[in-house]
Amino acid sequence: MEQQELKDSIIIDVRELQEWEFYHLEEAQLIPMQQIPHRMGELSDDRDIYLVCAHGVRSYRVAEYLLENGFDRVINVDGGMAAVAMLRGFQYD
């Protein structure tokens, strides 16, 4: 994926604050999974929304929830932050 594609996207990290503080993507916004139902108004439905968590399980569930609630440009980051860290050359957990 090209950098330009991500520039026009939103990256939402659905992990908890402690996980975020340990390591996160600077481009991402933290919205813990449990807060998603209350904060959906902050999300844009006219941009791609990439969802990330530690390994891709929580973000998958959030992606399903958003799709069920009218968001159609939702992408789950398979493998989560562990995969991102591996691509960047270090062990996440």
Side-chain angles (χ1 to χ4, degrees):
M1 173 171 301
E2 302 210 8
Q3 187 67 25
Q4 182 63 31
E5 290 179 53
L6 285 177
K7 183 178 179 184
D8 298 328
S9 304
I10 302 167
I11 303 171
I12 303 296
D13 191 324
V14 300
R15 298 173 301 153
E16 295 299 319
L17 180 60
Q18 301 86 343
E19 296 170 287
W20 167 270
E21 289 174 343
F22 174 70
Y23 179 71
H24 65 271
L25 299 172
E26 292 198 22
E27 307 88 357
Q29 173 186 353
L30 176 65
I31 304 179
M33 180 179 181
Q34 299 301 321
Q35 294 179 15
I36 292 290
H38 309 288
R39 296 181 61 187
M40 286 193 318
E42 298 174 31
L43 303 177
S44 174
D45 59 358
D46 63 346
R47 296 168 65 190
D48 291 336
I49 302 172
Y50 287 85
L51 298 164
V52 64
C53 66
H55 297 282
V57 177
R58 286 174 282 181
S59 56
Y60 178 81
R61 290 185 183 137
V62 171
E64 285 184 323
Y65 180 81
L66 291 176
L67 288 167
E68 290 169 0
N69 284 277
F71 291 86
D72 59 355
R73 296 178 65 177
V74 178
I75 300 107
N76 179 45
V77 177
D78 290 332
M81 291 304 294
V84 171
M86 186 180 304
L87 287 173
R88 293 184 174 183
F90 66 95
Q91 181 82 21
Y92 171 73
D93 56 1

